[in-house]
Amino acid sequence: LVAYHEAGHAVVGALIPDYDQVAKISIVPRGGAGGLTFFAPNEDRIDSGLYSRQFLESQMAVALGGRVAEEIIFGEDQVTTGASNDLERVASTAKMMVTRFGMSERIGQVALAGGDGQPNMGRQMAQGAPSMSAETKALIDSEVSRLVSGAYDRAKTLLTENRPALDGLAKMLVEKETVTAEEFAQLLSDTDVKISDYALYPQ
């Protein structure tokens, strides 16, 4: 199961537009995690500290890739708690997109949350945001839900359409425990993968 979880992250990350390259995938336990997928960050993005809407939406889909892979292979009843941290990070990213970065057409180009920081996954929303109406809060929740659902659907489509790559990587991880970027690239070439097109999530 851990092999499919990490394979889900890696396959979505490799096939989604404008995302960091997969550097290594491992199912060797580390610091409480059953396995890890390592990405090589884009240096220009790190240096500038600027993250596009496309990158953030891709980031959410990659984070959900592990959970989606578990659902596809083992069914919704067998999804593990290992995906809970992924869900928290995705919700945090979506909320920042809506309330801090003006990346929601329905809410518009406004910043509804205070504080500073970069949109790195896992960073908590800043405290001290100004008070807002119940209607605005409900709209924010609706927009966060829309972004998360869009990321989930994109991850599911990618993994369903590229099931041979998902199965192949999981098998390699079970056999080798760690797969290098070169080995992964060869697998993607051998399985004739379909790369995702980018489009804004439906309103």
Side-chain angles (χ1 to χ4, degrees), residues 67-176:
R67 179 187 179 88
V68 172
E70 290 183 16
E71 288 185 8
I72 291 173
I73 304 303
F74 303 105
E76 291 187 21
D77 292 343
Q78 299 299 316
V79 170
T80 69
T81 56
S84 63
N85 188 44
D86 297 332
L87 293 174
E88 291 171 4
R89 290 183 294 173
V90 167
S92 175
T93 297
K95 194 165 186 178
M96 285 190 287
M97 289 175 69
V98 172
T99 62
R100 294 177 59 190
F101 306 134
M103 295 179 178
S104 163
E105 285 77 12
R106 292 181 65 195
I107 290 180
Q109 306 291 320
V110 293
L112 299 173
D116 54 15
Q118 299 299 332
N120 293 325
M121 294 182 69
R123 188 181 294 273
Q124 298 298 313
M125 287 297 297
Q127 300 298 313
S131 60
M132 60 185 76
S133 69
E135 291 83 359
T136 301
K137 289 179 180 178
L139 183 56
I140 289 172
D141 288 343
S142 174
E143 285 294 272
V144 168
S145 178
R146 179 182 64 82
L147 288 171
V148 173
S149 294
Y152 172 89
D153 291 342
R154 179 172 289 168
K156 190 166 187 176
T157 297
L158 270 173
L159 293 178
T160 301
E161 291 182 348
N162 296 285
R163 178 69 183 270
L166 178 65
D167 290 337
L169 179 55
K171 182 180 179 182
M172 289 175 69
L173 285 168
V174 170
E175 294 172 351
K176 298 163 57 71

Side-chain angles (χ1 to χ4, degrees), residues 11 13 21 23-24 26 34 39 42 52 59 62 72 78 82 113 121 130 151 154 157-158 171 181-182 193:
V11 171
Q21 287 190 325
K24 183 172 70 173
S26 174
F39 291 91
N42 179 294
S52 69
Q59 188 181 58
V62 172
I72 291 173
Q78 299 299 316
M121 294 182 69
R154 179 172 289 168
T157 297
L158 270 173
K171 182 180 179 182
E182 292 76 18
V193 293

Side-chain angles (χ1 to χ4, degrees), residues 9 20-22 36 66 88 104 123 137 150 177 180 203:
H9 288 309
D20 300 331
Q21 287 190 325
V22 176
L36 285 173
E88 291 171 4
S104 163
R123 188 181 294 273
K137 289 179 180 178
E177 291 194 327
T180 66
Q203 296 295 311

